[in-house]
């Protein structure tokens, strides 16, 4: 796909994708509610009848209820006790999100990064600064030990090269990503070390660029595994893959054995 059609991003920022989907629903007679958290699914005689919002309002379903929340939120917090059998609940409780989270640094820049590779590289909107196999193994070994990787790979994206509307005229944005442990060893907290670790990523990018000195940096915001989960509770521990990609949670077994094709033990709840 990306090699045939190129990189596609929502004009104006990622929020525009959500807003476009909402307009699509509304154009076909649907209604989209925001600031309306769900308190529980309404279930009667094993069948989903609708939802109850935290504010007390109930919305009944004409055909079915569909949840895109993670399995633990959906079945452990939004379903009343006694509705689901203990075997299924045990499977859900054992569902793993994994110990690998995302660490992301957002920059506001005067100018887009200029890479040592030259003009052709500078035209591209995203790059991956990859490692050798032994260095990659070292990064994941650090993650397994609960340590911030000392030599991380970095995913780099300057989306304003594709979509200038994401920044003021003539300015740019930049994102730096890598994988880290979502829980640090030794009682450390990401909030305490995030500034220093963001500097580690910046130092590596500077090895590959000519203009990423302080004079080009207008500001930065740091996302850690903790802040990513706060922003979206389904991204548990800053994981962005919907659950750990193990053999026990892949294909027919995803999210749990017997329920891989969007079904759930509750009739009309998908």
């Amino acid at each position: 796909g990306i090699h045939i059609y190129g990189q596609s991003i929502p004009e104006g920022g990622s929020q525009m994708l959500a807003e476009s989907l909402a307009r699509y629903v509304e154009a076909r007679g649907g209604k989209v509610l925001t600031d309306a958290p769900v308190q529980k699914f309404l279930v009667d005689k094993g069948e989903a009848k609708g939802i109850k919002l935290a504010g007390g309002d109930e919305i009944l379903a004409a055909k079915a209820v569909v949840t895109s929340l993670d399995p633990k939120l959906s079945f452990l917090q939004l379903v009343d006790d006694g509705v689901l059998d203990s075997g299924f609940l045990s499977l859900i409780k054992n569902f793993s999100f994994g110990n690998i989270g995302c660490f992301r640094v957002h920059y506001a820049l005067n100018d887009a990064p200029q890479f040592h590779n030259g003009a052709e590289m500078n035209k591209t909107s995203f790059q991956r600064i990859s490692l050798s196999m032994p260095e990659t193994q070292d990064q994941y070994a650090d993650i397994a030990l609960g340590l911030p990787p000392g030599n991380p790979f970095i995913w780099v994206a300057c989306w304003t090269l594709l979509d200038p509307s994401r920044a003021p005229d003539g300015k740019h944005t930049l994102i730096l990503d890598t994988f880290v442990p979502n829980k640090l060893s030794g009682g450390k907290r990401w909030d305490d070390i995030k500034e220093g670790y963001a500097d580690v990523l910046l130092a590596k990018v500077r090895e590959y660029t000519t203009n990423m000195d302080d004079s080009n940096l207008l500001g930065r915001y740091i996302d850690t595994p903790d802040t990513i989960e706060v922003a979206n509770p389904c991204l548990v521990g800053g994981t962005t893959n919907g659950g750990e990609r193990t053999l026990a949670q892949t294909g027919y077994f995803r999210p749990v054995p017997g329920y891989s094709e969007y079904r759930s033990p509750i009739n009309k709840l998908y």
Side-chain angles (χ1 to χ4, degrees):
I2 191 172
H3 296 291
I4 297 173
Y5 301 107
Q7 179 65 44
S8 297
I9 58 174
E11 185 176 2
S14 56
Q15 176 65 27
M16 297 303 104
L17 176 59
E19 294 187 13
S20 295
L21 292 171
R23 290 196 298 270
Y24 181 89
V25 170
E26 291 166 346
R28 283 151 183 79
K31 186 175 183 180
V32 177
L33 302 179
T34 58
D35 295 319
V38 177
Q39 179 178 312
K40 70 174 183 177
F41 299 129
L42 300 175
V43 180
D44 182 41
K45 298 177 182 179
E47 184 175 294
K49 297 296 186 180
I51 59 174
K52 182 177 181 179
L53 302 180
D57 291 339
E58 294 185 355
I59 301 175
L60 300 182
K63 294 184 178 180
V65 176
V66 179
T67 173
S68 63
L69 300 174
D70 74 68
K72 293 191 176 184
L73 277 175
S74 294
F75 299 112
L76 300 183
Q77 296 188 32
L78 300 182
V79 177
D80 284 340
D81 293 341
V83 173
L84 297 166
D85 68 61
S86 60
F88 178 79
L89 290 175
S90 179
L91 291 173
I92 296 298
K93 289 175 183 176
N94 289 326
F95 182 83
S96 172
F97 294 96
N99 65 346
I100 299 175
C102 182
F103 186 95
R104 170 172 285 189
V105 190
H106 308 257
Y107 282 98
L109 304 179
N110 280 310
D111 300 304
Q114 301 295 298
F115 289 88
H116 290 302
N117 304 60
E120 290 301 311
M121 177 67 77
N122 295 336
K123 293 177 184 178
T124 63
S125 56
F126 76 96
Q127 302 80 25
R128 285 187 173 93
I129 299 177
S130 301
L131 307 173
S132 66
M133 285 300 295
E135 289 171 322
T136 300
Q137 291 173 334
D138 288 343
Q139 174 159 2
Y140 284 93
D142 284 342
I143 290 172
L145 293 171
L147 302 173
N151 182 29
F153 80 86
I154 303 178
W155 183 83
V156 183
C158 182
W159 294 129
T160 42
L161 288 172
L162 276 181
D163 178 13
S165 72
R166 295 180 176 217
D169 290 346
K171 305 300 180 183
H172 288 276
T173 63
L174 185 71
I175 297 170
L176 309 181
D177 264 358
T178 194
F179 289 142
V180 297
N182 45 33
K183 299 297 180 185
L184 295 168
S185 62
K188 293 181 180 178
R189 298 168 58 250
W190 273 113
D191 196 50
D192 296 330
I193 68 168
K194 65 181 183 181
E195 295 289 345
Y197 197 66
D199 290 340
V200 171
L201 271 60
L202 179 59
K204 168 151 277 196
V205 170
R206 283 173 168 169
E207 295 176 16
Y208 294 84
T209 57
T210 63
N211 68 333
M212 284 297 291
D213 54 39
D214 289 349
S215 65
N216 194 27
L217 311 181
L218 298 174
R220 77 178 179 185
Y221 174 81
I222 302 169
D223 266 322
T224 70
D226 298 327
T227 63
I228 290 172
E229 181 176 349
V230 168
N232 185 338
C234 290
L235 303 181
V236 178
T239 59
T240 56
N241 55 12
E244 193 170 20
R245 300 281 179 164
T246 62
L247 288 177
Q249 291 187 178
T250 300
Y252 176 79
F253 303 109
R254 193 169 187 85
V256 294
Y259 297 96
S260 62
E261 296 181 341
Y262 305 106
R263 295 169 298 148
S264 83
I266 299 172
N267 189 30
K268 296 186 179 179
L269 174 62
Y270 298 93

